[in-house]
Amino acid sequence: MTAAPPPCPPLCTPAATPHTMPPLALRDLRNLVRNLGATARPSQQRVPLMQIVDVIRKGGDDSLRAIAGAGAVPALVALLRFESGVLVHGMAAAALLHLPPVAGPTIVAAGAIPLLVQLLGPGPPPAAQWEAAGTLMSLASQASVVTSGLIIAADAIPLLVQLLGPGPEADLLILHNVAAVLWSHTDAPGGDNAIVAAGAIPLLVQLLGAAYDDDVHRTAAGTLNRLPRFNTDHAFTIAAGGAMA
């Protein structure tokens, strides 16, 4: 494998063009957040949620600050609960993914990590899994040992490893973001051992093949390069899996 890449892999996320929110929309943000409340039916939550996602994806810094000030983060995290419905889950995870890094501690404090991990399991559509993996990547990339510990404690690693397959037909964005989350946990206490124990090495080696794009190659190679840093036994496991450590 090549030399170790930079310590934090880039997150695959669709590009967005910032624009200025009209004043009326900014004034209405608190009302939109209220309409996400637990008393609303999922069908009633979707329209305000789509509007908030649009603001987060396309809005500038003023819009993002206004959303945070409107109390959107706890409301979005609450929507990740199973009773909200799969479509709402995916949109809420998308909104959290596109919030700026400064919102990370608020997202974690609101209890998002175990709810995002639930979206990695069987059942949710690939889009929701991609958003959940991307959000976990964003949170983990802020170099917080506490955050990484919470992600590991929520049993995210085995679920993430399961998403590394099956084969070339798997969604490339999911593969990239999942490998990126694993990469960011190679430095966490016990993270490397959890990754290896979950069977990640042969799947990461598979991602080095020609069927995958450069982003997936770089992220998989970066994760494999970092695994042996604290446990040289992992180098032998990587070599046995078909890659040069």
Side-chain angles (χ1 to χ4, degrees), residues 19-112:
H19 68 274
T20 302
M21 285 292 298
L24 179 61
L26 290 176
R27 287 198 304 268
D28 284 348
L29 277 174
R30 288 190 183 276
N31 289 331
L32 290 176
V33 171
R34 289 192 194 100
N35 290 334
L36 301 180
T39 58
R41 295 190 301 272
S43 59
Q44 296 172 317
Q45 295 167 333
R46 288 172 193 160
V47 172
L49 181 54
M50 284 190 291
Q51 291 176 286
I52 288 175
V53 170
D54 187 61
V55 173
I56 291 173
R57 280 181 165 170
K58 299 179 181 177
D61 291 341
D62 289 343
S63 298
L64 294 174
R65 281 193 291 268
I67 286 171
V73 170
L76 291 168
V77 171
L79 291 178
L80 294 174
R81 302 188 186 282
F82 282 122
E83 57 266 25
S84 298
V86 173
L87 181 59
V88 171
H89 293 162
M91 289 191 291
L96 294 172
L97 171 59
H98 289 85
L99 285 172
V102 70
T106 305
I107 294 171
V108 173

Side-chain angles (χ1 to χ4, degrees), residues 18-233:
H19 68 274
T20 302
M21 285 292 298
L24 179 61
L26 290 176
R27 287 198 304 268
D28 284 348
L29 277 174
R30 288 190 183 276
N31 289 331
L32 290 176
V33 171
R34 289 192 194 100
N35 290 334
L36 301 180
T39 58
R41 295 190 301 272
S43 59
Q44 296 172 317
Q45 295 167 333
R46 288 172 193 160
V47 172
L49 181 54
M50 284 190 291
Q51 291 176 286
I52 288 175
V53 170
D54 187 61
V55 173
I56 291 173
R57 280 181 165 170
K58 299 179 181 177
D61 291 341
D62 289 343
S63 298
L64 294 174
R65 281 193 291 268
I67 286 171
V73 170
L76 291 168
V77 171
L79 291 178
L80 294 174
R81 302 188 186 282
F82 282 122
E83 57 266 25
S84 298
V86 173
L87 181 59
V88 171
H89 293 162
M91 289 191 291
L96 294 172
L97 171 59
H98 289 85
L99 285 172
V102 70
T106 305
I107 294 171
V108 173
I113 287 176
L115 299 173
L116 290 166
V117 171
Q118 287 178 345
L119 292 180
L120 301 176
Q129 293 174 329
W130 173 80
E131 306 284 9
T135 306
L136 289 170
M137 169 58 220
S138 178
L139 295 173
S141 69
Q142 296 171 37
S144 166
V145 174
V146 173
T147 299
S148 294
L150 289 171
I151 292 172
I152 293 173
D155 292 328
I157 300 300
L159 291 173
L160 288 163
V161 170
Q162 288 179 16
L163 290 176
L164 288 177
E169 67 270 20
D171 188 295
L172 292 179
L173 287 176
I174 292 178
L175 293 175
H176 174 279
N177 284 353
V178 166
V181 180
L182 297 178
W183 180 344
S184 65
H185 281 77
T186 55
D187 288 337
D192 57 337
N193 291 329
I195 292 167
V196 173
I201 286 178
L203 296 172
L204 289 166
V205 171
Q206 174 183 284
L207 297 184
L208 302 177
Y212 303 95
D213 65 15
D214 289 343
D215 285 333
V216 172
H217 290 163
R218 281 192 296 269
T219 314
T223 305
L224 289 167
N225 268 304
R226 294 173 70 83
L227 281 173
R229 295 198 308 155
F230 302 113
N231 187 339
T232 55
D233 288 344

